């Protein structure tokens, strides 16, 4: 009743469906990784901005010396540059 040709059709169709599912999973995984990296970068940026504001506040209030403020700000900027280069 069923010939070998029908079996190969179903096998080929099954293989194509499996390949489509794999491509779909790969695209979703790539989007998730991209989103995750964007979230990490945004979080790092917010953290650096908050730390910079805190350092500025401490310097304005005279709670840390100007030289320490400049050194810590330079280190913070270097850290921010390293985060964006990746």
């Amino acid at each position: 009743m069923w010939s070998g040709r029908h079996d190969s059709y179903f096998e080929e169709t099954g293989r194509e469906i499996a390949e489509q599912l794999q491509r779909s999973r790969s695209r979703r995984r790539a989007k998730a990784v991209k989103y995750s990296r964007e979230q990490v970068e945004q979080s790092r940026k917010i953290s650096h901005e908050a730390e910079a504001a805190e350092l500025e506040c401490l310097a304005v209030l005279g709670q840390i010396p100007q030289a320490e403020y400049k050194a810590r700000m330079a280190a913070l900027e270097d850290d921010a540059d390293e985060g964006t280069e990746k």
Side-chain angles (χ1 to χ4, degrees):
M1 183 178 224
W2 290 97
S3 69
R5 194 166 77 176
H6 288 289
D7 289 341
S8 67
Y9 169 77
F10 289 121
E11 288 174 8
E12 183 64 30
T13 301
R15 213 176 358 262
E16 288 175 8
I17 290 170
E19 288 171 359
Q20 286 177 338
L21 287 172
Q22 183 63 33
R23 284 191 298 270
S24 176
R25 284 186 202 118
S26 293
R27 281 192 298 272
R28 282 192 308 235
R29 192 170 27 253
K31 286 180 182 179
V33 167
K34 180 182 176 188
Y35 178 76
S36 177
R37 288 181 180 157
E38 289 171 351
Q39 292 298 306
V40 167
E41 183 61 34
Q42 184 178 11
S43 177
R44 181 180 291 127
K45 182 179 177 185
I46 291 169
S47 173
H48 286 165
E49 289 172 355
E51 190 173 345
E54 183 180 344
L55 284 173
E56 187 173 339
C57 214
L58 292 173
V60 168
L61 296 174
Q63 295 180 352
I64 60 172
Q66 194 67 17
E68 181 181 349
Y69 167 75
K70 288 180 181 179
R72 289 173 66 180
M73 285 298 287
L76 189 60
E77 288 175 8
D78 288 345
D79 187 42
D81 290 342
E82 288 175 9
T84 57
E85 289 175 0
K86 293 179 182 175

